[in-house]
């Protein structure tokens, strides 16, 4: 497998750095840098290998960004994740993710050519297509103009019956702006009705009270949305969405974020748009964190978070795939970016022999996502990818060491074999165990990952090679939700609120080993280095100059 087109794959020789050094490239999944405290599992765990690397600061250890714009996401409030992180690490450039990706797909019409749309469109003839999401132009979770384009595009492509389930904002936009957004939406739906499309708002509620919970904080929020959207049941019933929003906002203390759930009913008092068998559902938020729980309720057959009462057989697609690890949802309208000229493809064209390994839960990240969302090898003669089966049927906190030892042993053997120039691994422990919220198990996970790092570094030492150790995003370094002052947050009962998500923290990168040329050090003149700077760095260490459009290498060579 390779990219087509007239690409000059030949990389220039680096003027100061030699070829032929074996590079051990380690990605610690979910391993950020945060202040030391009892909720920082990396700090709590014995991690002598990683601690020793930090002694190289600032010349051979530093921090880099792994979230927000550094990985192609719209804002600095967007947490990084394993998919966009490995995209950036392998591509050497920052590719549009999230909202930008949706804009491109809508502008080109590609959104209507991909499998996700084809899947939901099979319900257009006899069923209803439901759009669920945040009605806002805030651009953080969704954008009204994208919804307007979807409505128009669906109608033009055969949708006969459309229902919109709105969530009012007031958080990313001014409180009270919901009225204007509803007026705009109602005008668009009226225009569709004039063309023979049965298009209406079916239900609604405020984003913080209906549907858009995150990190499994409060499933009753999702249930309120389910009851209104699927069952057509809510404490408030209105003839129109505009009447609903204006009336509910008039209540004392009301605001857009916390509007109670409502359904729109016809003259007989019957809900106009519950989701039923044969319908299609699209969640149009592009940001993942506040859609994952709802997606689970819509997609999972085995679901025990609340009684769904009725589970319709639907065709469901997200605007994007919200969780690459869970492959949730399994269908989506906008595919991940197709990334060309990745570092892996360049290195294969220049004779670099690569070994990549992880266990099942992250194997795709160190191969597929690293290689620009492409399956397979660039050159089978030069590459070997090894997947170690992950534990199945148990939560990862039950066996927090996971397969770290086995991954490290495979990497060690590959390094010592002399068959490979680059040995690349992902150690999933910090992320996968961190997601369980089990602090003690996550401490064990971090220790196991550190032991694996030591095994690989020892092998690099034996062959006179170079190591590059980094991470894809944070997780295990902060396991508690925090208030605005940064102190651990408590729930209504006074219990600690455990954080199971990724974080916005930077991640470390360290270089070293006996093969590292004298005078190589991290540059200090790059304003905000991020994961995308790693690819050029690794190319330099292989003895090559990176392509000119790659993000700048993190290293320089000073004469000593």
């Amino acid at each position: 497998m390779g990219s087509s087109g007239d690409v000059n794959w030949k990389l220039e020789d680096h003027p100061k750095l030699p070829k032929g050094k074996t590079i051990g490239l380690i990605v610690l999944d979910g391993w950020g840098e945060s202040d030391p405290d009892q909720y920082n599992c990396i700090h709590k765990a014995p991690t002598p290998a990683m601690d020793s690397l930090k002694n190289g600061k600032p010349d051979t250890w530093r921090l880099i960004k792994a979230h927000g714009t550094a990985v192609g996401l719209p804002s600095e409030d967007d947490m990084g994740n394993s998919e966009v992180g490995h995209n950036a690490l392998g591509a050497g450039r920052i590719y549009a993710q999230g909202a930008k990706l949706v804009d491109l797909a809508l502008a080109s019409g590609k959104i209507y050519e991909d499998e996700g749309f084809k899947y939901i469109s099979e319900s257009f003839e006899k069923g209803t297509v439901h759009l669920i999401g945040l009605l806002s132009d805030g651009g953080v979770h969704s954008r009204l103009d994208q919804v307007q384009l979807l409505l128009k595009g669906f109608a033009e492509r055969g949708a006969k019956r459309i229902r919109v389930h709105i969530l009012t904002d007031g958080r990313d936009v001014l409180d009270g702006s919901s009225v204007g957004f509803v007026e705009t939406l109602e005008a668009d739906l009226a225009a569709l009705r004039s063309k023979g499309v049965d298009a209406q708002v079916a239900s609604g509620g405020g984003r913080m009270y209906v549907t858009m919970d995150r990190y499994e904080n409060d499933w009753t929020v999702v249930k309120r949305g389910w009851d209104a959207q699927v069952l057509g049941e809510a404490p408030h019933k209105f003839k129109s969405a505009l009447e609903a929003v204006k009336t509910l906002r008039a209540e004392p203390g009301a605001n857009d974020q916390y509007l109670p759930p409502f359904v729109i009913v016809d003259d007989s008092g019957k809900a106009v748009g519950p989701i039923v068998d044969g319908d299609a559902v699209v969640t149009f938020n592009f940001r993942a964190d506040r859609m994952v729980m709802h997606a689970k309720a819509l997609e999972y057959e085995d679901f025990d978070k609340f009684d769904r009462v009725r589970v319709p057989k639907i065709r469901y697609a997200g605007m994007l795939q919200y969780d690459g690890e869970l492959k949730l949802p399994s269908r989506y309208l906008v595919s991940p970016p197709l990334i060309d000229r990745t570092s892996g493809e360049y290195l294969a064209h220049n004779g670099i022999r690569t070994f990549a390994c992880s266990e099942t839960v992250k194997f795709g990240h160190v191969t597929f996502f690293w290689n620009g969302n492409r399956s397979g090898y660039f050159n089978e003669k030069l590459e070997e990818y090894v997947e170690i089966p992950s534990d199945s049927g148990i939560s990862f906190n039950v066996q927090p060491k996971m397969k770290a030892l086995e991954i490290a042993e495979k990497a060690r053997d590959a390094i010592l074999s002399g068959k490979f120039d680059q040995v690349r691994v992902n150690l999933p422990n910090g992320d996968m165990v961190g997601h369980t919220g089990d602090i003690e198990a996550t401490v064990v996970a971090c220790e196991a990952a550190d032991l694996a790092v030591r095994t690989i570094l020892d092998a690099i030492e034996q062959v006179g090679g170079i190591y590059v150790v980094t991470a894809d995003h944070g997780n295990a370094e902060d396991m508690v939700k925090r208030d605005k002052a940064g102190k651990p947050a408590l729930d209504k009962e006074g219990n600690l609120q455990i954080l199971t998500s990724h974080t916005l923290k930077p991640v470390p990168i360290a270089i070293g080993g006996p093969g590292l040329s004298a005078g190589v050090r991290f540059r200090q003149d790059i304003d905000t280095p991020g994961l995308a700077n790693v690819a050029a760095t690794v190319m330099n260490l292989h003895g090559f100059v990176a392509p000119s459009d790659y993000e700048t290498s993190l290293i320089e060579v000073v004469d000593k």
Side-chain angles (χ1 to χ4, degrees), residues 332-348:
Y332 38 88
L333 297 186
V334 181
S335 299
L338 193 60
I339 299 170
D340 67 350
R341 299 187 302 106
T342 62
S343 59
E345 189 164 11
Y346 268 111
L347 292 173

PDB file of all heavy atoms in Angstrom, residues 332-348:
ATOM      1  N   TYR A 332     -20.838   6.843  10.900  1.00  0.00           N
ATOM      2  CA  TYR A 332     -20.674   8.288  11.063  1.00  0.00           C
ATOM      3  C   TYR A 332     -20.672   8.929   9.681  1.00  0.00           C
ATOM      4  O   TYR A 332     -20.319   8.309   8.676  1.00  0.00           O
ATOM      5  CB  TYR A 332     -19.378   8.605  11.822  1.00  0.00           C
ATOM      6  CG  TYR A 332     -18.222   7.699  11.463  1.00  0.00           C
ATOM      7  CD1 TYR A 332     -17.368   8.001  10.411  1.00  0.00           C
ATOM      8  CD2 TYR A 332     -18.012   6.510  12.164  1.00  0.00           C
ATOM      9  CE1 TYR A 332     -16.324   7.155  10.072  1.00  0.00           C
ATOM     10  CE2 TYR A 332     -16.980   5.655  11.827  1.00  0.00           C
ATOM     11  CZ  TYR A 332     -16.142   5.976  10.776  1.00  0.00           C
ATOM     12  OH  TYR A 332     -15.132   5.123  10.430  1.00  0.00           O
ATOM     13  N   LEU A 333     -21.100  10.196   9.647  1.00  0.00           N
ATOM     14  CA  LEU A 333     -21.243  10.890   8.366  1.00  0.00           C
ATOM     15  C   LEU A 333     -19.912  11.364   7.802  1.00  0.00           C
ATOM     16  O   LEU A 333     -19.724  11.389   6.590  1.00  0.00           O
ATOM     17  CB  LEU A 333     -22.184  12.097   8.519  1.00  0.00           C
ATOM     18  CG  LEU A 333     -23.635  11.821   8.919  1.00  0.00           C
ATOM     19  CD1 LEU A 333     -24.443  13.112   8.873  1.00  0.00           C
ATOM     20  CD2 LEU A 333     -24.267  10.763   8.023  1.00  0.00           C
ATOM     21  N   VAL A 334     -19.017  11.774   8.679  1.00  0.00           N
ATOM     22  CA  VAL A 334     -17.748  12.362   8.228  1.00  0.00           C
ATOM     23  C   VAL A 334     -16.594  11.473   8.675  1.00  0.00           C
ATOM     24  O   VAL A 334     -16.402  11.231   9.870  1.00  0.00           O
ATOM     25  CB  VAL A 334     -17.569  13.788   8.781  1.00  0.00           C
ATOM     26  CG1 VAL A 334     -16.253  14.389   8.288  1.00  0.00           C
ATOM     27  CG2 VAL A 334     -18.744  14.669   8.361  1.00  0.00           C
ATOM     28  N   SER A 335     -15.843  10.980   7.713  1.00  0.00           N
ATOM     29  CA  SER A 335     -14.716  10.084   8.010  1.00  0.00           C
ATOM     30  C   SER A 335     -13.521  10.872   8.538  1.00  0.00           C
ATOM     31  O   SER A 335     -13.404  12.079   8.289  1.00  0.00           O
ATOM     32  CB  SER A 335     -14.307   9.331   6.745  1.00  0.00           C
ATOM     33  OG  SER A 335     -15.374   8.539   6.278  1.00  0.00           O
ATOM     34  N   PRO A 336     -12.614  10.203   9.253  1.00  0.00           N
ATOM     35  CA  PRO A 336     -11.380  10.862   9.682  1.00  0.00           C
ATOM     36  C   PRO A 336     -10.614  11.377   8.471  1.00  0.00           C
ATOM     37  O   PRO A 336     -10.821  10.909   7.347  1.00  0.00           O
ATOM     38  CB  PRO A 336     -10.605   9.748  10.390  1.00  0.00           C
ATOM     39  CG  PRO A 336     -11.625   8.728  10.755  1.00  0.00           C
ATOM     40  CD  PRO A 336     -12.676   8.801   9.692  1.00  0.00           C
ATOM     41  N   PRO A 337      -9.734  12.354   8.674  1.00  0.00           N
ATOM     42  CA  PRO A 337      -9.014  12.918   7.519  1.00  0.00           C
ATOM     43  C   PRO A 337      -8.128  11.875   6.846  1.00  0.00           C
ATOM     44  O   PRO A 337      -7.535  11.021   7.516  1.00  0.00           O
ATOM     45  CB  PRO A 337      -8.167  14.029   8.148  1.00  0.00           C
ATOM     46  CG  PRO A 337      -8.017  13.634   9.584  1.00  0.00           C
ATOM     47  CD  PRO A 337      -9.297  12.947   9.933  1.00  0.00           C
ATOM     48  N   LEU A 338      -8.070  11.938   5.534  1.00  0.00           N
ATOM     49  CA  LEU A 338      -7.145  11.082   4.801  1.00  0.00           C
ATOM     50  C   LEU A 338      -5.816  11.830   4.718  1.00  0.00           C
ATOM     51  O   LEU A 338      -5.730  12.903   4.121  1.00  0.00           O
ATOM     52  CB  LEU A 338      -7.678  10.785   3.398  1.00  0.00           C
ATOM     53  CG  LEU A 338      -6.963   9.668   2.651  1.00  0.00           C
ATOM     54  CD1 LEU A 338      -7.063   8.345   3.407  1.00  0.00           C
ATOM     55  CD2 LEU A 338      -7.518   9.511   1.245  1.00  0.00           C
ATOM     56  N   ILE A 339      -4.842  11.288   5.352  1.00  0.00           N
ATOM     57  CA  ILE A 339      -3.565  11.985   5.523  1.00  0.00           C
ATOM     58  C   ILE A 339      -2.534  11.385   4.586  1.00  0.00           C
ATOM     59  O   ILE A 339      -2.313  10.175   4.575  1.00  0.00           O
ATOM     60  CB  ILE A 339      -3.106  11.869   6.993  1.00  0.00           C
ATOM     61  CG1 ILE A 339      -4.150  12.525   7.915  1.00  0.00           C
ATOM     62  CG2 ILE A 339      -1.735  12.485   7.183  1.00  0.00           C
ATOM     63  CD1 ILE A 339      -3.921  12.259   9.388  1.00  0.00           C
ATOM     64  N   ASP A 340      -1.911  12.218   3.789  1.00  0.00           N
ATOM     65  CA  ASP A 340      -0.925  11.718   2.826  1.00  0.00           C
ATOM     66  C   ASP A 340       0.497  11.953   3.343  1.00  0.00           C
ATOM     67  O   ASP A 340       0.728  12.656   4.318  1.00  0.00           O
ATOM     68  CB  ASP A 340      -1.117  12.377   1.452  1.00  0.00           C
ATOM     69  CG  ASP A 340      -0.794  13.867   1.472  1.00  0.00           C
ATOM     70  OD1 ASP A 340      -0.609  14.446   2.576  1.00  0.00           O
ATOM     71  OD2 ASP A 340      -0.737  14.473   0.387  1.00  0.00           O
ATOM     72  N   ARG A 341       1.440  11.322   2.709  1.00  0.00           N
ATOM     73  CA  ARG A 341       2.880  11.543   2.942  1.00  0.00           C
ATOM     74  C   ARG A 341       3.244  11.509   4.421  1.00  0.00           C
ATOM     75  O   ARG A 341       3.907  12.381   4.943  1.00  0.00           O
ATOM     76  CB  ARG A 341       3.312  12.875   2.321  1.00  0.00           C
ATOM     77  CG  ARG A 341       3.105  12.952   0.823  1.00  0.00           C
ATOM     78  CD  ARG A 341       3.692  14.196   0.186  1.00  0.00           C
ATOM     79  NE  ARG A 341       3.146  15.416   0.756  1.00  0.00           N
ATOM     80  CZ  ARG A 341       3.807  16.218   1.584  1.00  0.00           C
ATOM     81  NH1 ARG A 341       5.049  15.943   1.944  1.00  0.00           N
ATOM     82  NH2 ARG A 341       3.227  17.300   2.048  1.00  0.00           N
ATOM     83  N   THR A 342       2.808  10.462   5.094  1.00  0.00           N
ATOM     84  CA  THR A 342       3.159  10.309   6.506  1.00  0.00           C
ATOM     85  C   THR A 342       4.634   9.968   6.658  1.00  0.00           C
ATOM     86  O   THR A 342       5.296   9.534   5.710  1.00  0.00           O
ATOM     87  CB  THR A 342       2.325   9.199   7.156  1.00  0.00           C
ATOM     88  OG1 THR A 342       2.621   7.966   6.492  1.00  0.00           O
ATOM     89  CG2 THR A 342       0.838   9.491   7.062  1.00  0.00           C
ATOM     90  N   SER A 343       5.127  10.141   7.865  1.00  0.00           N
ATOM     91  CA  SER A 343       6.541   9.846   8.122  1.00  0.00           C
ATOM     92  C   SER A 343       6.837   8.371   7.859  1.00  0.00           C
ATOM     93  O   SER A 343       7.908   8.024   7.336  1.00  0.00           O
ATOM     94  CB  SER A 343       6.904  10.210   9.561  1.00  0.00           C
ATOM     95  OG  SER A 343       6.100   9.499  10.486  1.00  0.00           O
ATOM     96  N   GLY A 344       5.876   7.496   8.174  1.00  0.00           N
ATOM     97  CA  GLY A 344       6.090   6.076   7.930  1.00  0.00           C
ATOM     98  C   GLY A 344       6.271   5.757   6.464  1.00  0.00           C
ATOM     99  O   GLY A 344       7.111   4.917   6.095  1.00  0.00           O
ATOM    100  N   GLU A 345       5.492   6.424   5.617  1.00  0.00           N
ATOM    101  CA  GLU A 345       5.614   6.169   4.183  1.00  0.00           C
ATOM    102  C   GLU A 345       6.937   6.708   3.636  1.00  0.00           C
ATOM    103  O   GLU A 345       7.620   6.051   2.845  1.00  0.00           O
ATOM    104  CB  GLU A 345       4.434   6.794   3.440  1.00  0.00           C
ATOM    105  CG  GLU A 345       4.380   6.392   1.980  1.00  0.00           C
ATOM    106  CD  GLU A 345       3.043   6.679   1.326  1.00  0.00           C
ATOM    107  OE1 GLU A 345       2.202   7.380   1.924  1.00  0.00           O
ATOM    108  OE2 GLU A 345       2.839   6.200   0.192  1.00  0.00           O
ATOM    109  N   TYR A 346       7.326   7.916   4.084  1.00  0.00           N
ATOM    110  CA  TYR A 346       8.619   8.462   3.671  1.00  0.00           C
ATOM    111  C   TYR A 346       9.763   7.539   4.086  1.00  0.00           C
ATOM    112  O   TYR A 346      10.670   7.230   3.285  1.00  0.00           O
ATOM    113  CB  TYR A 346       8.840   9.839   4.296  1.00  0.00           C
ATOM    114  CG  TYR A 346       8.373  10.992   3.449  1.00  0.00           C
ATOM    115  CD1 TYR A 346       7.280  11.759   3.831  1.00  0.00           C
ATOM    116  CD2 TYR A 346       9.027  11.330   2.267  1.00  0.00           C
ATOM    117  CE1 TYR A 346       6.840  12.826   3.063  1.00  0.00           C
ATOM    118  CE2 TYR A 346       8.605  12.406   1.493  1.00  0.00           C
ATOM    119  CZ  TYR A 346       7.508  13.145   1.898  1.00  0.00           C
ATOM    120  OH  TYR A 346       7.081  14.199   1.124  1.00  0.00           O
ATOM    121  N   LEU A 347       9.732   7.097   5.332  1.00  0.00           N
ATOM    122  CA  LEU A 347      10.837   6.269   5.828  1.00  0.00           C
ATOM    123  C   LEU A 347      10.895   4.927   5.098  1.00  0.00           C
ATOM    124  O   LEU A 347      11.984   4.405   4.821  1.00  0.00           O
ATOM    125  CB  LEU A 347      10.707   6.078   7.340  1.00  0.00           C
ATOM    126  CG  LEU A 347      10.924   7.356   8.168  1.00  0.00           C
ATOM    127  CD1 LEU A 347      10.604   7.123   9.634  1.00  0.00           C
ATOM    128  CD2 LEU A 347      12.353   7.884   8.010  1.00  0.00           C
ATOM    129  N   ALA A 348       9.719   4.373   4.763  1.00  0.00           N
ATOM    130  CA  ALA A 348       9.711   3.126   3.995  1.00  0.00           C
ATOM    131  C   ALA A 348      10.354   3.337   2.625  1.00  0.00           C
ATOM    132  O   ALA A 348      11.117   2.486   2.140  1.00  0.00           O
ATOM    133  CB  ALA A 348       8.282   2.619   3.834  1.00  0.00           C
TER     134      ALA A 348
END
